[in-house]
Amino acid sequence: MVAALIGIYTRPLDLLANLWPANAILLGIFLRFPSTQTPLHLCFAFIGFVIADMMTGSTLEKTLLLTTGNLVSVCSGIIFTRKYLDNFDSLLKTRSILNLIIVALVSSAAAGICGMFIYPYLFNGAVSDGWIFWFVSELVHYIAFLPFILAFPKSFKTFNLKKAGDISFLTLMAPALSVLFLCLLVVLIDGPGMVAIPVLGLLWCALSYRIFTTALLTLFFCLWTFSAVSFGYITLPLTLSTWGELMALRFSVAVISLVPIIISSFMQIKRQEISKLAYAANHDSLTGAFNRHAFMESLNQKFTDKPTNSIALLLSDLDHFKSINDQYGHPSGDAMLKHFYQICRSKVRSDDVIARIGGEEFAVILIGQDKTTACIIADRIRQSFAESELELENGQKLNATTSIGIVYSEQNIHPEELIQQADLALYRAKENGRNRVESYE
């Protein structure tokens, strides 16, 4: 209802609204949350539209006709999406932007068809004008508002504007500030041709920000353009008072709004693909622990970043692991490896490194812990693993143990030497009966 009131108050006397975000917001909510696509929610939307229009003095006939046209447009997009497209859970799929454009076109076409009948009846206009105005206006609003709603974060708990510590706040804000500056410049210089100038800042944003931030700034640009034209801050030539030229201006704004969204979506998809590749290159695909390469990189980095800090290295080897594979099968052995990693993860800090460096061999790097604490942690891992039971898919329960060698150093020794010392301690734990922790002395 609030969105409808905003649109109504931008409506020139006895004409249609210059800004009508209600349909786009409603369709965006329905697409983002499919569970809301019910007759009850549509009834609530209908009532909200009617109340908003009646509050501003519209006649009942006019209100019912316009509201029906609005909901026909929204429902057309919903029906088309449910029948032919996947749900819009994000804009980070290859076909998401294309699907968004198709839905916007379908909903706008439905609005245009309604406009062919409603516009001549209510405003004594031509049938073709009703089609053009309703189709183009709705298309502009759908393209402006749908990306923002569909890209809206599900949670802001992990949202951090200043992601990179080596980037200053001003540098991070520069693309957004450029959009604001260019929008202001258009008003100062004036002229319809200047409307396209802010797209330069939006393209910069598309290359720098996530899709939600780009969609937010693109929405700002659209709202600013519509408002500036509506309130006369941008002076239009006399020719733009004609239907064709005015609709061409609206359509150009829609195209300008779409380009940064496409680029931003493509860039974020590529970033995610690169991130997945980087994760796969550094992690064990079975357990999720670091692989040997990432372990060595982390160990070297620990010495480089904090050479004066104490470091404890734990090397762990699952006892009689081959017999588990032979007796219960390799899937059970894989499950045991994952089970052991989960126990290790639960016993150490989130910034401590856990790596699978061999078939059944794991390494744990503890930074800043004293020797006694490191030994306690190692024994907790051993004891928890020995006391836990892994339930297999057939319901059978399986127990296993692990031997751990630990080396503690307050000196900046070579990583390879540290590994050799921990390996000697692990060998001694195996020789002394397994299922125990031995320290390198």
Side-chain angles (χ1 to χ4, degrees):
M1 188 170 73
V2 174
L5 287 171
I6 292 173
I8 292 169
Y9 281 117
T10 67
R11 177 191 295 167
L13 185 63
D14 295 327
L15 293 175
L16 294 171
N18 288 320
L19 175 65
W20 183 257
N23 293 355
I25 293 175
L26 184 61
L27 179 59
I29 292 173
F30 281 142
L31 294 179
R32 182 69 184 273
F33 306 102
S35 61
T36 61
Q37 298 174 12
T38 64
L40 180 62
H41 288 94
L42 285 172
C43 287
F44 286 151
F46 184 88
I47 293 171
F49 281 12
V50 170
I51 293 175
D53 227 359
M54 296 295 291
M55 286 173 59
T56 56
S58 293
T59 64
L60 181 60
E61 180 186 35
K62 180 179 178 181
T63 297
L64 292 177
L65 286 173
L66 293 177
T67 300
T68 300
N70 291 330
L71 289 185
V72 166
S73 174
V74 172
C75 290
S76 298
I78 295 173
I79 294 171
F80 185 86
T81 301
R82 295 182 67 170
K83 191 169 183 179
Y84 298 106
L85 305 176
D86 296 330
N87 287 331
F88 284 93
D89 54 347
S90 73
L91 292 180
L92 298 178
K93 296 179 180 179
T94 305
R95 294 178 57 88
S96 293
I97 298 297
L98 177 60
N99 291 344
L100 183 148
I101 296 172
I102 294 173
V103 171
L105 288 171
V106 169
S107 298
S108 301
I113 293 172
C114 293
M116 292 171 62
F117 298 96
I118 298 174
Y119 189 75
Y121 180 77
L122 291 180
F123 304 103
N124 297 318
V127 172
S128 59
D129 288 346
W131 157 262
I132 293 172
F133 187 89
W134 282 48
F135 173 79
V136 175
S137 296
E138 287 303 312
L139 182 62
V140 169
H141 292 112
Y142 283 130
I143 290 177
F145 282 89
L146 283 180
F148 170 75
I149 297 172
L150 297 176
F152 200 90
K154 294 180 179 179
S155 173
F156 280 92
K157 291 181 179 179
T158 58
F159 183 80
N160 185 7
L161 182 62
K162 191 175 181 181
K163 296 180 293 182
D166 57 340
I167 299 179
S168 68
F169 183 77
L170 183 60
T171 301
L172 192 63
M173 292 296 296
L177 294 174
S178 72
V179 175
L180 301 179
F181 172 76
L182 292 174
C183 286
L184 179 62
L185 187 64
V186 171
V187 174
L188 295 176
I189 298 178
D190 206 355
M194 294 294 296
V195 171
I197 295 299
V199 74
L200 298 175
L202 291 174
L203 292 175
W204 189 8
C205 293
L207 296 172
S208 305
Y209 298 144
R210 295 181 178 180
I211 188 170
F212 168 70
T213 309
T214 303
L216 175 61
L217 292 167
T218 303
L219 176 60
F220 164 79
F221 163 73
C222 292
L223 295 178
W224 168 85
T225 303
F226 300 151
S227 301
V229 171
S230 179
F231 294 106
Y233 295 115
I234 298 178
T235 305
L236 300 180
L238 184 60
T239 55
L240 284 180
S241 62
T242 64
W243 275 96
E245 296 294 335
L246 187 59
M247 292 303 102
L249 176 63
R250 285 176 172 265
F251 188 75
S252 67
V253 171
V255 173
I256 289 174
S257 303
L258 192 57
V259 172
I261 301 297
I262 295 174
I263 295 175
S264 182
S265 176
F266 175 80
M267 292 296 295
Q268 191 164 341
I269 289 173
K270 291 304 177 184
R271 291 189 197 104
Q272 288 188 346
E273 290 176 352
I274 292 172
S275 178
K276 290 178 181 178
L277 288 173
Y279 182 89
N282 291 308
H283 289 79
D284 173 47
S285 59
L286 176 64
T287 62
F290 274 8
N291 57 25
R292 188 177 187 88
H293 169 75
F295 163 72
M296 294 302 301
E297 289 286 331
S298 297
L299 191 59
N300 286 317
Q301 194 67 35
K302 296 296 184 184
F303 280 110
T304 302
D305 291 345
K306 299 177 180 179
T308 60
N309 270 13
S310 60
I311 183 170
L313 175 62
L314 283 61
L315 288 187
S316 174
D317 189 87
L318 273 60
D319 299 327
H320 305 296
F321 183 74
K322 185 178 183 301
S323 64
I324 295 176
N325 281 333
D326 293 342
Q327 184 175 353
Y328 299 97
H330 286 278
S332 298
D334 291 345
M336 184 61 71
L337 292 172
K338 290 188 284 187
H339 178 58
F340 178 74
Y341 170 73
Q342 291 166 359
I343 288 178
C344 288
R345 187 77 275 171
S346 67
K347 301 301 178 184
V348 300
R349 300 166 300 186
S350 59
D351 56 344
D352 290 327
V353 175
I354 305 175
R356 183 186 175 198
I357 58 175
E360 66 271 20
E361 190 172 0
F362 290 79
V364 180
I365 304 174
L366 304 175
I367 297 294
Q369 301 279 25
D370 58 53
K371 184 176 182 179
T372 301
T373 302
C375 290
I376 291 174
I377 292 173
D379 198 61
R380 284 176 179 171
I381 293 173
R382 180 204 61 78
Q383 184 176 0
S384 296
F385 184 62
E387 294 176 352
S388 65
E389 289 183 331
L390 175 64
E391 186 172 349
L392 303 179
E393 292 184 357
N394 59 8
Q396 189 175 5
K397 294 183 179 180
L398 181 62
N399 289 93
T401 60
T402 184
S403 302
I404 300 176
I406 179 171
V407 59
Y408 177 83
S409 176
E410 294 181 339
Q411 300 175 355
N412 188 13
I413 67 174
H414 195 277
E416 289 290 349
E417 183 179 352
L418 199 70
I419 294 173
Q420 291 176 3
Q421 293 174 356
D423 198 47
L424 290 174
L426 174 60
Y427 178 78
R428 189 160 58 246
K430 292 283 190 181
E431 287 292 305
N432 291 338
R434 294 185 170 87
N435 189 25
R436 58 188 295 117
V437 176
E438 290 285 349
S439 298
Y440 177 84
E441 301 296 343

